[in-house]
Amino acid sequence: MLGRILAPRASTTPTLVAVGHGSRDPRAAATLRRLVDRVRELRPGLDVRLAHIELDAPLLGDTLAGLTGDAVLVPLLFARGHHVKHDLPAALAAAPALRTGRIAAPLGPHPLLVEALADRLAEAGWTREDGNSPATGVVLASAGSRDPDSAADIRRIARRLGERLGGVPVLPAYASAAAPTVPEAVRALAARGRHRIAVASCFTAPGRFAARAAADAPWLAAAPLGPHPALARLVLHRYDEALAGVPPIVPGSRRPVPRLAALSSAGNAPR
C-alpha cells in the first residue's frame, strides 16, 4: 500500500519583508534588490522579500497578499516617521492571508548605520586627517519628516557620525518637510569657520532627494548607502530584534501596534 503523499511543511521562520519607500528613479529599485540579495547571502534559507510603499513594484500590499504565514516588516528607512508609524501598520492590518506580522524598528540610529555612512564618506575622499581639521564639517542629508520622533532619530545619527569621524561637527539637513535644508546647514557650518564641508548621504538608494543633496555639497558628496555590507547586517539585526522583542500583530484583530521607540535606539549589534 502506497503511503500518503504529504504536502511540504510551511516554514515556521517568519518571512523578512524589506520595505523601501519607492522612487521614480529606476536605479532605486535595482539598488534595493542588490541590498536584499546581500541580506539573503548573509542568511541562506531565510525567505527575504522586497516591497515598496509607493512608486515601485512590488508594492507592499501586493507582497503581503502573497504571504500566508508570519512576516516581519523591516523598514529600509532611517527614522520613526509617518511611513513607519502609519503606512506599515495599515498594510499589515489589511494583509488578507497573513497569520501574524511584526514591524521592526527603522534602520537608525544604530552603530552599523554609522559605519556605512562613514565608509561612504571615505569612498568619496574623506580621510582621518579631515576629522582632525578645524576647517571641516559634515552635513547629514536625509529625506525629512514633520514627525518630531523622526527629527530626533536623525539628530542622534548625526551625533554618532560626528563621534565616529573624530569629533567633527555633523549637522542634519533635510530634502523636504523639515529644516534646515542642505544649503542652510552648509551656511551654518561656514559661519562656524568650517569651509571644507562634506555631505553624507542618509539615503538607501539614488533618487531625486539624494541627487539634490549631492549637488548642494560644496566639497565631498558621499554616495547613497545601497548594498553596503553593514546595512545588510543591520537589516538582519532589526529582523532578529523584532522577533525577540515585538509582540506579533494578527491582521484584522485591531490589536494596537507596539511602540517603536525602544528598538529604534538600540545599541550595538553582533558584527
Side-chain angles (χ1 to χ4, degrees), residues 112-231:
L112 286 170
L113 173 58
V114 172
E115 177 183 332
L117 288 166
D119 281 356
R120 289 290 188 243
L121 277 172
E123 291 167 3
W126 183 273
T127 67
R128 181 176 297 180
E129 290 71 25
D130 292 321
N132 298 322
S133 170
T136 57
V138 174
V139 172
L140 178 69
S142 67
S145 170
R146 293 183 179 87
D147 190 307
D149 285 339
S150 176
D153 288 344
I154 299 299
R155 287 194 299 270
R156 285 197 289 272
I157 296 167
R159 184 172 63 251
R160 292 185 180 190
L161 180 59
E163 294 167 354
R164 171 80 180 228
L165 297 176
V168 66
V170 177
L171 296 186
Y174 308 96
S176 68
T181 64
V182 171
E184 289 168 344
V186 167
R187 289 194 291 271
L189 284 170
R192 293 161 59 177
R194 304 280 176 164
H195 299 291
R196 283 168 58 85
I197 300 169
V199 171
S201 182
C202 200
F203 299 100
T204 52
R208 178 167 55 94
F209 287 168
R212 184 192 305 167
D216 289 331
W219 178 38
L220 302 178
L225 300 176
H228 190 284
L231 205 64

Side-chain angles (χ1 to χ4, degrees), residues 68-141:
T68 58
D70 306 303
V72 176
L73 277 55
V74 180
L76 302 180
L77 305 166
F78 299 104
R80 296 166 293 165
H82 182 85
H83 294 311
V84 173
K85 291 182 176 182
H86 299 282
D87 292 342
L88 269 60
L92 193 58
L98 198 65
R99 185 167 54 204
T100 66
R102 291 173 170 87
I103 300 172
L107 299 179
H110 195 275
L112 286 170
L113 173 58
V114 172
E115 177 183 332
L117 288 166
D119 281 356
R120 289 290 188 243
L121 277 172
E123 291 167 3
W126 183 273
T127 67
R128 181 176 297 180
E129 290 71 25
D130 292 321
N132 298 322
S133 170
T136 57
V138 174
V139 172
L140 178 69

